[in-house]
Amino acid sequence: MAVERTLSIIKPDATKRNLTGKINAKFEDAGLRIVAQKRIKLTKEQAGVFYEVHKERPFYDELCAFMASEPVVVQVLEGEGAIAKNREVMGATNPADAAPGTVRAEFAESVGENSVHGSDAPETAAAEIAYFFSGLELVG
Ligand code: UDP
Ligand code: MG
């Protein structure tokens, strides 16, 4: 399997509860390397562009407001099959369906406030990484 990079976001519900380190430990324990990371506060508009694919969904406004409510930690994770591996570590979108030991099973508060984002395919990973990081910030 090829070495990949994926975009991860530790969401406001998790940064607020001081869970960044615990979540990062799960990534690292799974063999994912954090090759770039920064804590930023998104505007609702910036969150809206990031989640544009969900624009027509009923939860879009609430999701954008939530993502702008507190700081987030955006990060690039690298490893063998990193995109799928990260989705595995994250667990299902709804924490009620997330497998035991996953980030969302342990930490998510609801289907909306579910602690982490992870890219879902190589094309979205490349676009999402480029949305937050310049080439100069990706040192490997
Ligand atoms: N979301 C929500 N209600 C839903 C489905 C999704 O609030 O019924 C939010 C949730 O924060 C989720 C994000 O929208 O993480 C993006 O949804 P997606 O289906 O892409 O889930 P993910 O890829 O994050 O597992
Ligand atoms: Mg998604």
Side-chain angles (χ1 to χ4, degrees):
M1 197 176 284
V3 173
E4 295 175 336
R5 286 178 173 174
T6 191
L7 191 278
S8 166
I9 305 178
I10 302 180
K11 293 183 177 182
D13 67 284
T15 61
K16 190 166 61 181
R17 287 176 290 147
N18 218 19
L19 293 170
T20 299
K22 287 199 172 104
I23 292 172
N24 279 349
K26 284 196 180 287
F27 296 145
E28 293 184 338
D29 288 349
L32 291 164
R33 182 175 295 272
I34 302 163
V35 296
Q37 174 168 261
K38 57 191 173 189
R39 183 174 167 107
I40 58 175
K41 185 135 187 317
L42 293 172
T43 64
K44 204 179 163 194
E45 291 66 34
Q46 289 166 336
V49 171
F50 180 75
Y51 275 123
E52 197 127 47
V53 63
H54 295 305
K55 205 168 45 196
E56 306 304 329
R57 311 279 288 275
F59 56 80
Y60 179 71
D61 272 350
E62 200 180 346
L63 175 61
C64 296
F66 163 62
M67 291 299 287
S69 65
E70 296 277 338
V72 296
V73 175
V74 294
Q75 47 193 192
V76 179
L77 308 180
E78 184 181 86
E80 294 272 319
I83 296 166
K85 186 178 281 182
N86 181 42
R87 299 287 310 188
E88 237 174 80
V89 174
M90 289 163 61
T93 308
N94 185 340
D97 303 326
T102 59
V103 171
R104 283 166 165 170
E106 279 188 28
F107 302 125
E109 301 199 292
S110 66
V111 65
E113 305 201 3
N114 58 3
S115 303
V116 280
H117 165 85
S119 308
D120 59 11
E123 301 71 31
T124 49
E128 290 176 0
I129 289 169
Y131 187 61
F132 289 113
F133 293 95
S134 75
L136 285 174
E137 292 175 300
L138 297 166
V139 296

